[in-house]
Amino acid sequence: MRIAARRWSGVCACAIGLLAVAASAEAKLSVEAVGHAGGRVVLRSRPGVQRFVTFRVTNRGDELLEVRVEPEDWATGMTGSRQRPAWLSVAPDHFKLKPGKTKKVRATVRVPDGAPGELRSQVFFTTLRPGASLTLR
């Protein structure tokens, strides 16, 4: 999930990108941001205001999957520290998903006071089974 924050008259814009990573060839996991096309979400908000994004995660395979949801700070691009950003949280961050079932994951963004011109984050949806394939929508 990529969050880009730019200031326009006290308003901060946040772009959220997402990446799903599957670890087994048999498992099929799809992730989509509800109401947003592609793998990027852009939010505009003022510091201190909470904004929300819902992701729909679906097990399109025939095996039970364990899924971990991990937001990482990408403020410095590919060379960043990859820590969990304090301004972005997800719930739930770990769950089991039966074949054919869908689970909603809610991301909460709260732009901090004095935020820089851009806030970026990737949210990784990872299966905990080796060899899963993945579809990003």
Side-chain angles (χ1 to χ4, degrees), residues 24-28 61-63 129-133:
S24 100
E26 299 81 36
K28 296 184 188 283
D62 56 5
E63 296 180 325
R129 309 180 90 246
S133 64

Side-chain angles (χ1 to χ4, degrees), residues 5-27:
R6 293 199 175 104
R7 288 188 171 269
W8 291 285
S9 302
V11 175
C12 194
C14 301
I16 303 170
L18 64 104
L19 182 64
V21 178
S24 100
E26 299 81 36

Side-chain angles (χ1 to χ4, degrees), residues 20-27 29 65 125-134:
V21 178
S24 100
E26 299 81 36
L29 183 71
L65 294 177
F125 292 81
T126 308
T127 62
L128 303 179
R129 309 180 90 246
S133 64
L134 177 72

